[in-house]
Amino acid sequence: MCSGGVCLMPIESIHTFLVHPHAPGDDQRNIGGIDVALNGKLFDTLNSVYEKSDAECDIEIAFVPNGGAQQNHCRDLILSYVRNRSLDAGRLIANRLREHTTNRSKQGLLVLMYGREGQDHRLVISRYPTNTGILAEENAGRLDVQFLERVFMRSAFSYKAAVYQHASLERFWDGRAVDKQISSRSLPTPEYWIHGFLLSDFRTTSAQGTRRLAVALKKAISSVDNLELKQELVAAATLARGMAGQPTSVTGFCDRYNLSAPARAAITAHLPNVAVAAQQFTLDVAVFDEEVAYRTVQLDTGVLIAASASEFDELVDREELADGEERFSVTGHIINERLRRGGIS
């Protein structure tokens, strides 16, 4: 296949394994696997995934070093497989996936596809769900080809994948992932696939991604003149704490709070470039609050007072009255005023 003047060379090897959920006492169980022939319907299906992986895998990830050492157990297994491309080397990767597969994720098929793109080594790792109505015939550690074809006929467009590519195996630290088993591209891949099985994390660190979102949101709030739009952005900033510790992206954040097109445009306008809006990171509330935080007080009268958390006490005078009541007062010039139907949402 040729794309943009660059031609992918044929796949050199494909191995697939049936991986059951991990259970106590099954560590010694032999995982059924097979060396897939490089022709036929099954090959055509897998080859399509291999060829599309460069475009589809758009979540940038990187192996997490073990402490201060430049070593990662999953990466070690992957490098061993790329060097040997044997069924036994692939089975070690399958066993690692089993260790991170629960009854919730159920059994699945692990597929390892190796090929070359010019001088680069390319490895595509994918996992397909198996239909519970299909029974596998595992015989002496091998899988039945007809079973595999039936599985892929039902799940050819529902899979997780990761791709690693570089001319030097020593540079196999960064990769890209995708999860086509979830309905929204703004949602992250499951915890066990990236953080567990691949022992990786998003390339954009928690602090970098959170600060980028917070700064863009703060600048967007300051730049808009429309009061309703400003209120929408302030509300999103106030609600951000609810995503503490959750993987997201700028796009995912906007989707989570169903921001309007003008609000999204205001935030995106203050990003370094449009592409970073899709980069995944884990939201760090402490970092977010360093850049932008809004403090709100809602009274039983229905009045809502909101201001920057760092300036709230300076902008809003607060006086304690009898019977637990309090009086709040603010001073300033009215720059916008409008009547809205309905209550505060």
Side-chain angles (χ1 to χ4, degrees):
M1 173 186 176
C2 295
S3 177
V6 178
C7 295
L8 285 176
M9 299 175 67
I11 296 178
E12 296 182 15
S13 64
I14 302 178
H15 293 103
T16 185
F17 305 86
L18 182 64
V19 180
H20 297 272
H22 182 266
D26 71 350
D27 293 340
Q28 302 303 316
R29 177 178 178 178
N30 189 37
I31 297 179
I34 190 172
D35 188 339
V36 178
L38 302 182
N39 56 66
K41 292 188 298 182
L42 180 56
F43 170 76
D44 291 341
T45 299
L46 295 176
N47 188 55
S48 175
V49 174
Y50 177 84
E51 292 178 342
K52 293 184 298 183
S53 62
D54 189 54
E56 290 187 338
C57 295
D58 56 1
I59 300 176
E60 296 186 345
I61 59 175
F63 289 117
V64 177
N66 180 18
Q70 290 295 304
Q71 183 271 334
N72 176 289
H73 180 58
C74 184
R75 177 177 179 271
D76 291 345
L77 296 178
I78 287 176
L79 291 182
S80 177
Y81 174 78
V82 171
R83 291 187 178 106
N84 300 308
R85 298 194 292 283
S86 68
L87 199 61
D88 288 339
R91 187 173 283 112
L92 294 177
I93 299 176
N95 190 61
R96 177 173 177 81
L97 178 59
R98 176 173 61 184
E99 293 172 357
H100 293 275
T101 300
T102 65
N103 288 325
R104 181 180 179 182
S105 49
K106 303 179 181 179
Q107 73 177 20
L109 285 173
L110 173 69
V111 181
L112 305 173
M113 295 177 280
Y114 172 83
R116 300 293 292 265
E117 182 174 354
Q119 297 299 314
D120 287 357
H121 300 272
R122 170 182 286 216
L123 178 67
V124 177
I125 305 173
S126 57
R127 181 193 184 277
Y128 295 78
T130 58
N131 189 288
T132 55
I134 301 177
L135 298 178
E137 295 295 334
E138 297 178 88
N139 181 20
R142 295 181 62 82
L143 296 177
D144 182 85
V145 174
Q146 290 184 345
F147 160 71
L148 293 177
E149 290 182 350
R150 291 169 62 194
V151 168
F152 285 111
M153 284 175 61
R154 301 194 182 199
S155 58
F157 303 102
S158 176
Y159 56 87
K160 311 178 197 303
V163 59
Y164 298 91
Q165 180 176 321
H166 204 280
S168 169
L169 295 184
E170 299 306 316
R171 299 292 297 275
F172 259 51
W173 278 98
D174 298 334
R176 285 168 289 120
V178 69
D179 191 338
K180 301 193 70 172
Q181 291 180 254
I182 52 179
S183 57
S184 172
R185 292 176 63 84
S186 67
L187 296 175
T189 58
E191 181 78 12
Y192 86 93
W193 179 245
I194 289 180
H195 297 145
F197 166 56
L198 293 174
L199 200 56
S200 299
D201 205 345
F202 304 125
R203 284 188 62 188
T204 300
T205 68
S206 177
Q208 290 172 338
T210 301
R211 185 167 290 108
R212 181 184 295 150
L213 168 64
V215 169
L217 189 54
K218 179 173 64 176
K219 289 182 177 180
I221 293 171
S222 300
S223 66
V224 299
D225 295 325
N226 182 285
L227 180 59
E228 188 170 358
L229 180 56
K230 188 182 291 286
Q231 289 174 335
E232 181 182 5
L233 292 168
V234 169
T238 304
L239 294 171
R241 297 184 67 88
M243 296 187 68
Q246 297 183 23
T248 188
S249 64
V250 174
T251 300
F253 179 86
C254 294
D255 289 345
R256 169 71 176 266
Y257 297 114
N258 195 29
L259 296 187
S260 65
R264 292 169 184 261
I267 294 174
T268 304
H270 295 287
L271 294 175
N273 56 73
V274 177
V276 301
Q279 292 181 2
Q280 297 277 341
F281 59 90
T282 302
L283 194 136
D284 186 326
V285 169
V287 173
F288 189 89
D289 286 348
E290 289 177 2
E291 298 293 339
V292 56
Y294 276 79
R295 180 178 171 187
T296 61
V297 173
Q298 185 170 357
L299 306 181
D300 56 8
T301 58
V303 173
L304 181 68
I305 304 170
S308 169
S310 61
E311 301 175 312
F312 190 93
D313 292 331
E314 297 178 11
L315 299 174
V316 181
D317 292 326
R318 185 170 186 169
E319 179 184 357
E320 293 186 5
L321 305 177
D323 300 324
E325 290 189 326
E326 297 191 37
R327 177 185 290 125
F328 293 84
S329 60
V330 298
T331 302
H333 295 286
I334 296 176
I335 60 174
N336 203 330
E337 182 177 4
R338 67 177 59 192
L339 179 66
R340 297 181 62 186
R341 294 182 179 181
I344 298 173
S345 58

